[in-house]
Amino acid sequence: MKILIVISLLAALVFLYGLAENRLMLITRHESFGGNIKIVQISDLHRKKFGKGNKRLAERVRRENPDLIFITGDITSRQCTKFSATDAFLSGIKDTAPIYMIFGNHEKDLEGEILKDFLSVLERNGVKILKNTYETVNIKGRELKIYGLDEPYTVYKKDGHYRNLDVIDEKNMEQMLGKCPEGENLLLAHNPLFADKYAEWGADYTFSGHVHGGLVRLFGIAVLSPERKFFPKYSKGIYSFGGKKVLVSGGLGKMRLFNPPEIVVYEL
């Protein structure tokens, strides 16, 4: 009987913590590489709201006063048909810094008039969408090329299933983006599961999301990826490949446990 009571109390505590973590917590993770360019990364917001119109999230972004804002996919969900919350959030940060965005797997599922409505929200808030393209920016005396990778949908889901998914290798990278040029190159790539290939292509810093930190983290270990795979290799944090960095956000949306929603601030 005592064991059952203890188990019930622990379950209740975990449940209450999960509610607080998902509804109240918003963590800003700072990562410094000793540089002078500040980038705020927003990833995998989905339908989550931090205050009305995501006011609390917008305030947190503005407070950082970044030079660039990167949205690495899934700022909405495939089930969404109205984008007023997305519009309000982007409106709240559009005057803070240039915003660059790539599509995640959920944006790839939007179609027809719904997709048009979503694109109009991005356009009127000055969001620059990168689909296997790049833009060159000059900030504080440094020239950066910002690439956006538009992966094929089959790396996420294929024939309605999560098995036998396609993969990305260095050859695919060159087919989609061309050869990596000299200079400082930043890459936005939603799916981090090909982190080593992004580094092999030549990106100095790659910004990813998608895995939501593994949804549940136990002792700092990611448990599950959106592809229903256990213990995904690249889930949250910084991964190094011969001097190249892959920077993975745990994201903001979806239910999660021991894995608070986060925005990430990088000083490059």
Side-chain angles (χ1 to χ4, degrees), residues 70-263:
F70 290 165
I71 299 176
T72 48
D74 288 358
I75 196 175
T76 189
S77 287
R78 61 175 61 92
Q79 299 89 350
C80 289
T81 57
K82 303 293 182 182
F83 306 102
S84 57
T86 303
D87 195 6
F89 168 58
L90 293 174
S91 179
I93 65 171
K94 67 180 181 180
D95 295 326
T96 306
I99 304 172
Y100 291 90
M101 177 180 169
I102 54 171
F103 273 18
N105 50 309
H106 279 252
E107 283 96 359
K108 290 175 181 290
D109 276 335
L110 302 179
E111 296 180 335
E113 292 301 316
I114 294 174
L115 176 59
K116 288 182 182 179
D117 290 344
F118 178 68
L119 291 174
S120 69
V121 166
L122 301 183
E123 182 178 1
R124 68 170 163 264
N125 286 292
V127 177
K128 300 175 183 180
I129 306 170
L130 299 176
K131 287 192 170 186
N132 292 335
T133 55
Y134 73 90
E135 282 204 8
T136 302
V137 299
N138 288 275
I139 300 174
K140 298 178 180 177
R142 292 167 64 181
E143 183 178 277
L144 307 174
K145 284 186 171 61
I146 304 171
Y147 281 82
L149 182 67
D150 190 40
E151 312 104 321
Y153 191 76
T154 49
V155 305
Y156 298 106
K157 200 171 185 179
K158 189 175 182 180
D159 300 324
H161 301 287
Y162 295 100
R163 57 178 180 267
N164 300 321
L165 298 178
D166 289 341
V167 298
I168 291 175
D169 57 25
E170 191 176 357
K171 182 179 179 181
N172 300 141
M173 292 291 294
E174 289 193 2
Q175 289 172 341
M176 290 184 282
L177 297 177
K179 287 187 176 294
C180 187
E182 294 183 1
E184 287 190 270
N185 299 290
L186 311 184
L187 173 66
L188 312 187
H190 183 64
N191 193 332
L193 302 181
F194 310 105
D196 55 336
K197 303 306 176 185
Y198 304 149
E200 287 177 13
W201 176 74
D204 296 292
Y205 295 94
T206 299
F207 299 79
S208 294
H210 180 57
V211 180
H212 308 149
L215 300 178
V216 176
R217 294 181 74 84
L218 297 176
F219 307 106
I221 298 173
V223 174
L224 186 67
S225 81
E227 288 82 14
R228 306 337 188 231
K229 293 182 179 179
F230 288 103
F231 309 114
K233 191 173 183 180
Y234 308 113
S235 62
K236 180 179 178 177
I238 300 172
Y239 303 89
S240 297
F241 302 88
K244 310 295 185 183
K245 307 289 186 186
V246 178
L247 316 173
V248 185
S249 169
L252 290 155
K254 298 285 189 179
M255 291 296 292
R256 52 185 61 224
L257 188 61
F258 308 125
N259 177 32
E262 68 174 11
I263 67 172

Side-chain angles (χ1 to χ4, degrees), residues 20-27 48-63 89 263:
E21 183 179 47
N22 282 274
R23 295 184 181 182
L24 301 177
M25 290 188 184
L26 174 58
I27 303 299
K48 188 72 169 287
K49 295 178 183 177
F50 296 91
K52 185 176 181 181
N54 270 306
K55 181 179 180 181
R56 188 155 59 96
L57 180 59
E59 287 176 348
R60 188 69 68 90
V61 173
R62 291 196 302 269
R63 190 187 311 163
F89 168 58
I263 67 172

